Amino acid sequence: SGGIKNNLDTLNQSLDKAFDQLGQLGDVLQAGSDNTSAHMDELMDQARVLRKLVSEIRDDLFRYEGISVEDTSDESASKGEVNPGDPDAEAGEAEPERTEEALYDTSSFQKGKVTLCVNRGTVEADTNVGGIVGKIDMPKATDSNGNVLTDKERLDIIKSDTSAAGNSGYANAVVSSSYNTGNVKGYTNIGGIGGFAYNGSIAASYNVGDIKTTRINASGTTPINMGGILGDSTEQASGRVIIYDTYNKGTIGDSSYNTYGRHVGGIVGRLSGIVEKSYNNGDIYNGFNVVGGIAGYWYSGYLKNVFNTGNITVYNKNDAPSQVGGIVGSVDLSGGNQSSGTNAALSISNAYNLGSLRSFMGGNKYNEVGGILGGTFNWSGTNNKLKISMSINCMPQVGL
């Protein structure tokens, strides 16, 4: 993730320079109330600088994606070529005829993909609220023969392509190489990168913005599904998400416990699918139950190579057990693990928790607090197996 951040920061610095030039251009326009040659010359100078900066940013962006770039810079004009739209072109000089052929080799473009995106502003809405995308709704992925891919096969495809960003691109994911630093707030399905995902995938992305719900009354059956990376990925449905190589450092929840709800996780609020190579470093606060350092509520799939270092504090106002876990808050054993095409045991492997866990009763039930897993349930009658291996909790748990 360090390589991604460095490259994105470099591009953002270039964008900042462009914005500065835009500001200077605006100053010139405001100062020049007439059309004197001095003002026009200054305007043209600013236009040339701005055009060059935008061109450089564009070229860096496409080279970052491994896409060839046709030279349309000022250097080409200096060789006797006229750049279309060049403000320095002589009056009456004909511009080259534009063709239908794109300036870029777009053969490597992928439809329905979001990559290299950054948000630094506050995002607030009602439902399906994300720092980068609100809702991902994808059909089942298939191979060239139309066969539906398993979750594990989809993950292997994502891992295989790192061309977009050195060793951390994973451009085959639906959302990749993106990050959010703005605060995100919504009523339900709230995440630092995405709000809701039906199928789809998020890779090589991170969040450092604070995540909160606006819900004051959490009664009823509808959960808030709030996570540092993704809010919700469905339950008891065929859609499953893949979250790979992600992290959250933003604070999740309201430390005054005025807004709250069920299903809150450091990475994902409600999980059906795979979380691998991901961690949470943000503190979590919630006034309701089902809270985990990685996943709040887990229905199907597996978690692998994950850890939590964020402190979790819950003041449970629900009349149900608190279900607080260092990795997972609660798991429904009826969901199973279809990641490889056949049903297998749900599994947590190579996981550890270094965050303190505290749960206080605000309702009439009791606490369920676990260093790795808070609670287990079976809502539909199918009793699938659960396997926890190579996982450790290093911090105390408190339930009062």
Side-chain angles (χ1 to χ4, degrees):
S1 58
I4 301 170
K5 184 177 185 303
N6 291 338
N7 282 300
L8 288 174
D9 286 345
T10 299
L11 289 177
N12 284 319
Q13 289 170 7
S14 297
L15 281 171
D16 289 340
K17 291 180 181 178
F19 290 140
D20 289 342
Q21 295 297 332
L22 278 172
Q24 294 178 29
L25 183 58
D27 293 340
V28 170
L29 290 172
Q30 289 179 357
S33 57
D34 53 35
N35 290 324
T36 63
S37 60
H39 279 124
M40 292 303 296
D41 289 344
E42 189 172 359
L43 187 63
M44 290 301 99
D45 288 341
Q46 296 293 339
R48 281 193 296 272
V49 172
L50 180 59
R51 189 185 70 239
K52 186 174 185 296
L53 282 170
V54 171
S55 178
E56 290 174 354
I57 294 168
R58 177 207 63 199
D59 293 352
D60 286 345
L61 205 62
F62 280 91
R63 289 191 182 100
Y64 190 84
E65 290 295 324
I67 301 168
S68 61
V69 179
E70 179 178 319
D71 185 12
T72 57
S73 64
D74 288 342
E75 285 74 10
S76 62
S78 67
K79 298 174 184 176
E81 304 169 5
V82 178
N83 200 3
D86 191 340
D88 298 329
E90 294 294 332
E93 186 175 359
E95 293 182 357
E97 183 180 353
R98 294 181 183 271
T99 65
E100 295 299 321
E101 184 178 358
L103 292 177
Y104 308 108
D105 174 12
T106 59
S107 61
S108 61
F109 278 15
Q110 299 183 66
K111 293 181 179 180
K113 302 295 175 67
V114 177
T115 188
L116 203 68
C117 286
V118 178
N119 174 59
R120 293 175 175 173
T122 298
V123 179
E124 183 171 354
D126 185 18
T127 303
N128 301 332
V129 190
I132 300 298
V133 296
K135 182 179 181 180
I136 301 170
D137 193 346
M138 304 288 290
K140 289 287 187 181
T142 59
D143 62 17
S144 58
N145 295 319
N147 300 313
V148 175
L149 299 175
T150 67
D151 298 344
K152 188 64 171 60
E153 289 170 335
R154 289 165 56 204
L155 178 57
D156 288 342
I157 291 173
I158 291 171
K159 290 180 179 180
S160 68
D161 182 7
T162 61
S163 61
N167 294 320
S168 304
Y170 310 121
N172 280 314
V174 175
V175 179
S176 64
S177 301
S178 299
Y179 70 86
N180 172 64
T181 65
N183 297 334
V184 181
K185 183 184 293 186
Y187 187 79
T188 186
N189 296 349
I190 315 124
I193 298 297
F196 175 87
Y198 185 84
N199 292 315
S201 48
I202 300 173
S205 300
Y206 67 88
N207 171 69
V208 297
D210 293 343
I211 313 296
K212 290 184 178 180
T213 181
T214 58
R215 187 179 301 189
I216 297 175
N217 182 2
S219 62
T221 59
T222 303
I224 59 169
N225 302 323
M226 183 167 65
I229 297 297
L230 178 68
D232 187 20
S233 62
T234 75
E235 174 188 347
Q236 298 182 356
S238 60
R240 286 188 290 272
V241 73
I242 293 173
I243 301 174
Y244 180 75
D245 193 12
T246 66
Y247 67 84
N248 170 66
K249 291 189 176 183
T251 299
I252 300 173
D254 176 14
S255 59
S256 64
Y257 310 106
N258 292 321
T259 58
Y260 49 84
R262 288 187 296 123
H263 302 175
V264 179
I267 295 297
V268 55
R270 178 164 61 176
L271 173 64
S272 290
I274 296 172
V275 177
E276 188 171 325
K277 194 181 175 184
S278 298
Y279 71 89
N280 172 61
N281 183 240
D283 290 340
I284 302 174
Y285 302 91
N286 194 34
F288 230 56
N289 62 333
V290 191
V291 183
I294 298 298
Y297 181 79
W298 176 29
Y299 181 74
S300 66
Y302 70 80
L303 298 94
K304 181 180 180 181
N305 296 333
V306 295
F307 67 89
N308 171 63
T309 60
N311 298 321
I312 301 176
T313 307
V314 171
Y315 178 65
N316 183 26
K317 301 178 183 181
N318 193 9
D319 289 333
S322 59
Q323 304 163 59
V324 178
I327 300 299
V328 174
S330 178
V331 60
D332 184 354
L333 296 177
S334 61
N337 180 7
Q338 303 283 344
S339 301
S340 296
T342 57
N343 195 24
L346 296 112
S347 66
I348 300 173
S349 60
N350 297 332
Y352 68 86
N353 173 58
L354 290 176
S356 64
L357 310 176
R358 297 179 295 177
S359 178
F360 303 94
M361 290 186 296
N364 298 319
K365 285 291 182 177
Y366 52 89
N367 289 299
E368 285 185 343
V369 184
I372 299 298
L373 175 63
T376 60
F377 290 87
N378 184 345
W379 295 114
S380 68
T382 303
N383 194 17
N384 291 295
K385 294 181 179 180
L386 169 65
K387 181 180 180 181
I388 300 177
S389 61
M390 301 295 292
S391 300
I392 187 171
N393 170 61
C394 301
M395 296 296 288
Q397 308 109 57
V398 178
L400 299 173

